[in-house]
Amino acid sequence: MPVEYLTEEQEQRYGRYIGEPTPEQLARYFHFNDDDRQLIGQRRGDHNRLGFACQIGTLRFLGTFLADPVNIPVGVIAYVASQLKIKNPQCIVRYAERVQTQQDHAQEIRQHYEYKEFSDRQGGFALMRFLYARAWVGIERPSVLFDVATTWLLDKKVLLPGVTTLTRLISSIRERVAERFWQQVSVVVTPELRTDLEGLLARAGTSRITHLERLRRSPSRPSAPVLVQALSRLAEARSLDVGPQALIHVPANRIKTLAQYAVTTKAQNIATLTEQSRTATLVSFARQLAVTAQDDALDLLDMLIRDLLARSTSDGKKVRLRTLRDLDAAALSLAEIGEKLITPEWTDKQIRTLLTEKQPRITEAVTTIYALARPADDNYYQEIVARYPAVRRFFPALLRTIEFQGNEAGKPLLNALTFLREQERQKTPDFSAAPLEVVPASWKRLVEPKDAPIDRRYYTLCVLERLHEALRRHDVFVEESIRWGDPRAKLLAGEQWERVRPTICQSLGRKVEAKMEFEELARRLDEAYRATSARFPQSGVRIEMVKNKAGQEVDTLILTGLDKVEEPESLQQLRHRVARRQPLIDLPELLLEIQARTGFASEFSHISEARSRLDDLALSVCAVLLAEACNVGLTPMVRKGIPALERDRLLYVQQNYIRPDTISRANARLVDYQATIPLAQAWGGGEVASADGLRFVVPLKTLNAGPNPKYFGTGRGITLVNYTSDQFSGFKNIVVTGTLRDSLVVLEGLLNQETKLQPKELMTDTASYSDVIFGLFHLLGYQFSPRLADVGEARFWRIDPSADYGALNGLARHTINRNLITENWDDLLRVAGSLKLGTVNVTELLKSLQGNGRLSTLAKAIAELGRIAKTLYLLSSIDDPAYRRRILIQLNKGESRHSLARATYFGQKGEVRQRYREGQEEQLGALGLVANAMVLWNTLYMNQALEDMRARGMTVLPEDVERLSPLGYDHINLLGRYTFSLSEEVRQGALRPLREVEEQEETAQEKKPIAINVETQKEA
């Protein structure tokens, strides 16, 4: 059917009243001005005036006339009657008696208010042009286009057509757009390239896999041979690529979407497509592969150089440990001789005699010391040369395949790379003219030893190490790279920046003029210092004289931990009573119930955006999500005889529907639904959030995992950075390789999330703290509130060096560099605007700004601004114990949510066994979605339990309700019994009955708490 892509909600609300309109909607659509009243007043009889007026309001509200114009909500009739001073609204029943009168009135209303028929050129044809343009540049699903079309029709005063007419129109437009896209992509392909692309669908030699499947496999472990293979894969991808200029007239997001389909579907499915569609799919795949294969090769290079340096350092330390005894013996021997030489009583003759006697021993000791001792700046580079043969395996291919570019700071390195590339073409390389600007002092004595020519091995290794640093700082970058490109090139600039600057400043609450902004900051900082000083000392806060690293005694802030908050008996009883009422349930039933209530499974669309219709798709989606979230695989979910749970169906859904983007949209539905529940609103309004990392061991060989003995032992792992709102919902997940510093990603979760929540304050642990992060948060209008474990070492900054802040003068001993901020203010705004509009990725920009601890001028300006924001935060923190406790409470919410996730992700020892980044993101995204479903289910039934208790006359204190938590899971069966069934009542939206609780259990004094209390945990 043409309407198959519509959700049930869309079908029900199209051209119909769904319940009573809100007061705001009544005021907007059903309020009549003088012109309306004059037209309505021309009718004879109250019933005609009331019916005529209701038709006007209905047309405005729904965009169409109803077949039965009096079949409208009672509230609408009453609202219209009150405006027309009609005492008996029931008279509208008489209006329904004459159909011809209703039709005449509808025609008159349409003409008077200039509504157009859909069949008119200004109606349907204009809509077709609008939808065609939108479908061409976007990749919106047909259900989204349906809502867009409805809104357009209402806005342009075009009468809504039938639902079938509109859905067929959208389907036909999408098909025409797809055919145009296929045609325009196919036309740039030469016959020779078409043959090569078709060859991707053939088997690779005697292998069972096709060339397409072979190229789709990313490298999984860092080694020189694997990097050579990755570079070969990149070269092959480029040979199949038509290039970005050939497809410049085609929307990039369409290329990306079609490529994503080619990456995930079977080669046999692509082979069955029409010729144009197949060619377009393979061209899109090759275009995207040319980008991703380059990033994969650069990722490998980064890991190889890092491992090379780390192993050389380790080898050097081992050698040093083995030679310490010889070094000590030589040093002691020289010390013994030297001690005698400085004896005051000795004559010159005695000294010369001693030196003559000890000359062999002195010579031996000096030789040993020179051989074993290392200079202060030694970085164990001598040990790197042992791995030079491994470097030679990939270095020539690297220089041939990848073209590096850079900014001014990267020019010396680019010159060195160009020189090395030229030397690779020479039969007898000559390094006498090698550029030495790239060689730092720590490499100098190895690259250019005294009285010897430049050592090719050390020069090459030095350039590689410098390349590693420059790539991470983005001083050197690669075009068409997602992760290794130049983020600064994506910043708003020129006319584009001039055009959006006023809007950006207004939306962020920033001043365009640097002077005005700085004066406002100076006033706020001065007031905060004086207010805090006036109330100092506070309980748990004191200042002591402590020696710093330089040995000087300075004022240091001492902040004691917060005491545990005792739980009143009323809270314990409430927690127990609520937990006793929650129904017992299996996890599959819970997921199905939440799907029936929210419809989140409708967000899972086919990867090709085709109108793929599957019966009971929601059941299959829930089964696959559960398999991923519990880490048990599909086997426990398979049920023969149930089509939606057959293995082939589940595999098909897993490959074509479960993706990070669909999971994100479905998760947004759950978070938004949670925000509507009164109990969740009692916990918070969604303005506060926390970010914390959950670590997972990855036992497979993969590039997307890093070492950290503290969390992963001798293996490698990844970190799931989870963002938890004050309503306990997780609104964003980010997968990070190893344990990358949280500060690089904490801002990304706020900028790139799809829920209706608008967090303005983010709380984190100490690891996420840096002055640059404080500065970016301030620029973007967010409050950054980390829990600082080392608050005593934090610096307090002031703007006015002569201001008297009483007891805080000793703390405020550092002064802000005003000029650094004001001179770079426009660039600071440009960074904020680019991040706000999403033209640049915040993580990559931070890497570029902070590269290896050496800040650029722009980064220093952001950090200087961040010092003001940090000082304001520190002053608020020491002045308000309640603020510190609020941070603790929110962080404990996130940590308790991690406990729920750990309990759910129990399969395969809780390890992530997905080899590639995409698979890891899908699996952990499914975990976050299922955890949110459990939080939402708990919140629903806890809210129902509270209403039941209030109905029985029990006392429920608001302050106790605020301290409840929906993170308990004792009543949820997480293990086994994966049966997917749901009663008809629950399927229709009814809640399950609460568990019966006997009266004596209600009044018992000692209760066993089941739900997790996130507030009473002791501060770390």
Side-chain angles (χ1 to χ4, degrees):
M1 292 293 292
V3 296
E4 62 186 7
Y5 58 76
L6 294 186
T7 65
E8 185 177 348
E9 180 186 2
Q10 285 177 307
E11 290 186 65
Q12 289 178 349
R13 72 169 184 246
Y14 183 76
R16 304 176 192 170
Y17 284 97
I18 304 298
E20 292 282 354
T22 65
E24 292 78 11
Q25 291 171 331
L26 288 172
R28 179 177 180 181
Y29 299 102
F30 295 92
H31 178 75
F32 304 117
N33 57 28
D34 293 342
D35 180 64
D36 299 331
R37 292 174 187 274
Q38 183 180 357
L39 182 64
I40 295 169
Q42 297 175 9
R43 311 306 115 190
R44 290 183 298 176
D46 286 350
H47 64 287
N48 280 328
R49 286 194 294 274
L50 182 57
F52 189 86
C54 285
Q55 288 226 63
I56 293 175
T58 297
L59 178 60
R60 292 172 175 172
F61 184 55
L62 300 179
T64 187
F65 296 105
L66 296 178
D68 183 1
V70 300
N71 186 22
I72 59 179
V74 176
V76 172
I77 299 174
Y79 183 81
V80 173
S82 66
Q83 289 187 74
L84 302 179
K85 296 183 172 52
I86 296 176
K87 297 181 180 178
N88 181 22
Q90 297 299 325
C91 68
I92 198 174
V93 177
R94 291 181 55 195
Y95 186 72
E97 295 175 356
R98 293 200 57 184
V99 177
Q100 186 61 45
T101 300
Q102 300 166 14
Q103 294 175 350
D104 292 342
H105 285 177
Q107 183 69 12
E108 184 178 354
I109 291 170
R110 187 185 74 79
Q111 292 177 352
H112 181 82
Y113 291 101
E114 298 180 349
Y115 274 81
K116 298 174 282 291
E117 293 285 354
F118 181 75
S119 57
D120 297 343
R121 180 177 179 83
Q122 293 178 330
F125 184 73
L127 175 64
M128 289 172 60
R129 291 194 305 174
F130 168 76
L131 288 177
Y132 189 92
R134 182 140 185 163
W136 175 249
V137 300
I139 53 172
E140 295 162 320
R141 291 169 294 134
S143 59
V144 175
L145 283 178
F146 184 87
D147 285 339
V148 169
T150 305
T151 303
W152 186 93
L153 291 168
L154 287 171
D155 183 59
K156 301 299 182 181
K157 290 188 174 183
V158 179
L159 295 178
L160 296 186
V163 64
T164 303
T165 301
L166 187 55
T167 52
R168 282 176 176 168
L169 174 65
I170 291 172
S171 297
S172 66
I173 287 175
R174 284 170 52 83
E175 290 173 2
R176 287 170 54 196
V177 165
E179 289 174 358
R180 177 191 172 194
F181 170 73
W182 298 336
Q183 192 275 331
Q184 293 201 6
V185 172
S186 300
V187 76
V188 302
V189 180
T190 63
E192 295 80 8
L193 180 58
R194 190 186 304 274
T195 302
D196 293 340
L197 290 172
E198 293 287 350
L200 291 176
L201 303 178
R203 298 189 184 276
T206 59
S207 173
R208 297 177 60 185
I209 66 171
T210 63
H211 290 287
L212 177 73
E213 293 165 325
R214 173 179 59 80
L215 286 175
R216 289 192 309 204
R217 292 182 176 179
S218 301
S220 59
R221 58 189 179 88
S223 69
V226 174
L227 178 53
V228 173
Q229 293 173 8
L231 292 169
S232 174
R233 174 174 174 252
L234 172 58
E236 186 176 356
R238 287 175 175 171
S239 69
L240 298 170
D241 182 24
V242 297
Q245 292 303 316
L247 300 175
I248 196 170
H249 57 287
V250 178
N253 51 7
R254 284 198 160 273
I255 295 286
K256 186 176 181 181
T257 300
L258 200 55
Q260 190 179 29
Y261 170 69
V263 166
T264 55
T265 195
K266 294 180 179 179
Q268 296 91 323
N269 295 338
I270 299 177
T272 60
L273 299 175
T274 63
E275 182 180 354
Q276 276 196 340
S277 175
R278 183 172 63 251
T279 301
T281 302
L282 294 174
V283 168
S284 300
F285 167 74
R287 174 85 282 274
Q288 194 67 17
L289 182 64
V291 177
T292 57
Q294 181 172 254
D295 274 3
D296 289 340
L298 290 171
D299 288 343
L300 266 175
L301 177 66
D302 175 69
M303 292 181 182
L304 274 177
I305 301 176
R306 184 188 62 197
D307 290 349
L308 181 145
L309 295 171
R311 290 181 181 179
S312 299
T313 300
S314 176
D315 291 347
K317 289 181 178 179
K318 290 178 181 177
V319 171
R320 188 164 176 80
L321 286 174
R322 287 196 299 267
T323 59
L324 275 180
R325 178 175 295 180
D326 295 337
L327 184 63
D328 289 345
L332 289 173
S333 179
L334 282 182
E336 179 184 347
I337 296 171
E339 185 179 17
K340 294 179 180 179
L341 291 175
I342 61 175
T343 303
E345 294 81 8
W346 278 38
T347 64
D348 291 345
K349 183 178 180 181
Q350 289 176 309
I351 293 175
R352 284 194 295 271
T353 303
L354 177 66
L355 290 175
T356 303
E357 293 176 355
K358 302 294 185 181
Q359 183 178 356
R361 185 175 169 186
I362 294 173
T363 302
E364 181 183 359
V366 170
T367 302
T368 301
I369 290 174
Y370 272 121
L372 302 181
R374 294 175 181 259
D377 62 348
D378 183 76
N379 291 314
Y380 302 101
Y381 290 148
Q382 294 177 8
E383 281 68 28
I384 294 181
V385 75
R387 291 178 171 78
Y388 181 72
V391 170
R392 288 296 304 166
R393 298 188 66 174
F394 68 80
F395 193 63
L398 176 71
L399 293 175
R400 287 195 309 269
T401 310
I402 298 182
E403 186 70 30
F404 295 98
Q405 298 183 5
N407 54 28
E408 194 65 30
K411 281 187 176 180
L413 177 60
L414 294 178
N415 293 335
L417 289 171
T418 301
F419 173 80
L420 287 172
R421 188 178 292 111
E422 292 173 354
Q423 295 304 310
E424 290 294 334
R425 304 190 186 104
Q426 307 299 325
K427 290 184 178 180
T428 56
D430 180 11
F431 275 72
S432 61
L436 295 178
E437 290 180 78
V438 72
V439 181
S442 55
W443 280 95
K444 198 79 172 177
R445 60 179 174 275
L446 298 174
V447 172
E448 194 178 18
K450 292 181 179 179
D451 303 323
I454 293 175
D455 191 312
R456 177 181 182 178
R457 300 171 305 164
Y458 282 116
Y459 185 82
T460 302
L461 293 168
C462 170
V463 170
L464 265 181
E465 192 242 5
R466 302 292 287 171
L467 176 62
H468 181 249
E469 292 181 1
L471 280 171
R472 291 201 157 201
R473 289 198 307 269
H474 292 271
D475 286 339
V476 168
F477 45 84
V478 180
E479 279 193 352
E480 282 204 288
S481 173
I482 299 172
R483 294 188 290 276
W484 301 98
D486 182 14
R488 285 162 289 197
K490 300 176 183 178
L491 294 176
L492 296 170
E495 293 183 4
Q496 185 184 17
W497 168 235
E498 295 295 333
R499 186 172 60 253
V500 301
R501 182 198 282 119
T503 305
I504 290 294
C505 292
Q506 184 178 9
S507 64
L508 297 178
R510 304 273 79 86
K511 304 287 193 305
V512 177
E513 297 295 332
K515 181 179 179 181
M516 296 175 61
E517 181 76 21
F518 199 83
E519 287 176 352
E520 173 65 18
L521 283 173
R523 182 191 60 78
R524 287 180 54 195
L525 186 61
D526 184 74
E527 290 178 354
Y529 263 121
R530 296 186 187 282
T532 305
S533 176
R535 289 187 288 269
F536 197 83
Q538 293 274 4
S539 176
V541 182
R542 68 183 188 276
I543 295 176
E544 293 183 358
M545 296 293 291
V546 177
K547 285 187 177 181
N548 60 16
K549 294 179 180 179
Q552 303 170 333
E553 288 196 349
V554 295
D555 282 2
T556 302
L557 183 69
I558 306 296
L559 198 65
T560 58
L562 297 172
D563 294 329
K564 178 180 178 180
V565 177
E566 297 298 331
E567 294 183 353
E569 184 179 351
S570 60
L571 173 60
Q572 297 179 22
Q573 289 187 353
L574 177 65
R575 186 179 292 122
H576 177 74
R577 288 170 175 172
V578 169
R580 289 283 296 168
R581 282 171 165 76
Q582 288 183 278
L584 303 176
I585 190 171
D586 293 340
L587 185 54
E589 291 183 27
L590 182 150
L591 204 56
L592 284 177
E593 183 175 343
I594 294 301
Q595 148 58 22
R597 186 167 293 277
T598 65
F600 70 82
S602 63
E603 298 291 349
F604 290 88
S605 58
H606 193 275
I607 190 169
S608 68
E609 296 294 335
R611 293 187 290 109
S612 177
R613 181 68 175 179
L614 294 177
D615 293 331
D616 293 328
L617 175 61
L619 180 58
S620 302
V621 166
C622 288
V624 174
L625 288 174
L626 196 60
E628 297 279 15
C630 294
N631 202 24
V632 295
L634 295 178
T635 300
M637 312 296 159
V638 174
R639 293 291 181 274
K640 290 187 177 180
I642 304 178
L645 297 177
E646 293 278 2
R647 178 176 292 278
D648 289 345
R649 162 71 83 85
L650 295 180
L651 283 170
Y652 177 79
V653 170
Q654 184 182 49
Q655 293 173 358
N656 293 282
Y657 288 84
I658 309 300
R659 306 187 301 278
D661 61 310
T662 56
I663 292 173
S664 179
R665 292 199 300 266
N667 193 61
R669 278 212 183 195
L670 301 188
V671 174
D672 294 343
Y673 194 100
Q674 168 94 353
T676 65
I677 303 174
L679 178 56
Q681 294 169 358
W683 292 327
E687 296 88 6
V688 177
S690 59
D692 195 18
L694 182 62
R695 273 79 185 187
F696 294 90
V697 172
V698 182
L700 306 175
K701 290 182 178 179
T702 172
L703 297 183
N704 199 48
N708 190 314
K710 179 179 178 181
Y711 298 105
F712 311 130
T714 57
R716 292 172 173 257
I718 58 177
T719 298
L720 178 69
V721 181
N722 181 259
Y723 295 77
T724 305
S725 73
D726 52 7
Q727 297 178 342
F728 290 93
S729 54
F731 60 87
K732 181 72 175 180
N733 290 324
I734 298 177
V735 176
V736 175
T737 301
T739 54
L740 181 70
R741 284 184 58 200
D742 294 343
S743 61
L744 294 181
V745 298
V746 290
L747 188 55
E748 187 171 336
L750 296 181
L751 293 172
N752 304 315
Q753 59 101 8
E754 300 182 45
T755 73
K756 294 180 181 178
L757 299 182
Q758 297 295 329
K760 292 298 181 183
E761 182 176 11
L762 185 72
M763 299 167 178
T764 68
D765 278 324
T766 305
S768 301
Y769 151 72
S770 76
D771 290 343
V772 173
I773 291 296
F774 266 109
L776 288 176
F777 266 78
H778 175 79
L779 281 171
L780 290 163
Y782 296 115
Q783 172 61 50
F784 185 46
S785 301
R787 177 175 59 183
L788 298 181
D790 55 349
V791 68
E793 299 179 9
R795 291 185 174 185
F796 287 71
W797 297 79
R798 61 164 70 208
I799 293 177
D800 184 359
S802 62
D804 182 11
Y805 297 134
L808 302 181
N809 274 331
L811 290 178
R813 56 184 178 271
H814 304 282
T815 305
I816 293 292
N817 184 346
R818 174 175 184 156
N819 293 335
L820 188 59
I821 297 174
T822 56
E823 291 171 2
N824 294 277
W825 180 244
D826 191 65
D827 285 338
L828 297 184
L829 291 177
R830 198 158 58 92
V831 168
S834 302
L835 291 173
K836 188 72 173 178
L837 296 180
T839 64
V840 64
N841 178 271
V842 62
T843 304
E844 296 305 320
L845 180 63
L846 278 170
K847 287 181 180 179
S848 171
L849 294 175
Q850 298 185 138
N852 287 355
R854 285 175 282 191
L855 302 183
S856 64
T857 301
L858 179 57
K860 291 177 181 177
I862 297 174
E864 202 71 13
L865 181 66
R867 288 163 178 167
I868 301 176
K870 179 186 70 173
T871 304
L872 288 169
Y873 160 71
L874 289 171
L875 292 172
S876 298
S877 182
I878 65 176
D879 193 41
D880 188 2
Y883 183 32
R884 301 200 301 274
R885 188 173 298 280
R886 191 163 66 89
I887 296 174
L888 174 64
I889 292 171
Q890 180 59 35
L891 289 176
N892 284 339
K893 286 182 180 181
E895 291 170 359
S896 298
R897 184 182 167 84
H898 286 174
S899 299
L900 175 64
R902 285 287 188 203
T904 306
Y905 196 79
F906 62 85
Q908 301 186 80
K909 300 188 292 186
E911 299 172 341
V912 173
R913 304 200 175 187
Q914 296 286 343
R915 192 178 300 278
Y916 302 112
R917 179 192 299 270
E918 293 78 8
Q920 295 169 359
E921 290 176 344
E922 289 169 7
Q923 182 165 26
L924 297 182
L927 174 61
L929 179 63
V930 171
N932 265 350
M934 288 191 278
V935 170
L936 175 55
W937 191 92
N938 282 341
T939 305
L940 280 169
Y941 282 95
M942 290 171 68
N943 187 72
Q944 184 74 0
L946 292 173
E947 291 180 1
D948 176 72
M949 293 168 62
R950 293 187 182 104
R952 296 190 184 196
M954 299 180 184
T955 301
V956 179
L957 300 177
E959 56 269 26
D960 290 341
V961 172
E962 293 175 3
R963 297 175 67 178
L964 294 176
S965 166
L967 298 174
Y969 52 87
D970 287 356
H971 54 289
I972 303 174
N973 176 35
L974 303 174
L975 307 174
R977 292 215 301 272
Y978 296 112
T979 57
F980 292 84
S981 61
L982 208 58
S983 68
E984 188 59 31
E985 293 81 3
V986 175
R987 190 186 302 275
Q988 296 299 324
L991 290 173
R992 299 168 185 269
L994 299 173
R995 281 190 284 169
E996 295 295 332
V997 183
E998 297 182 5
E999 192 65 29
Q1000 58 267 28
E1001 290 179 330
E1002 287 292 330
T1003 57
Q1005 294 299 316
E1006 294 186 3
K1007 311 295 183 184
K1008 178 185 177 181
I1010 297 179
I1012 298 175
N1013 176 26
V1014 301
E1015 188 173 19
T1016 59
Q1017 296 184 26
K1018 194 72 175 176
E1019 182 180 18

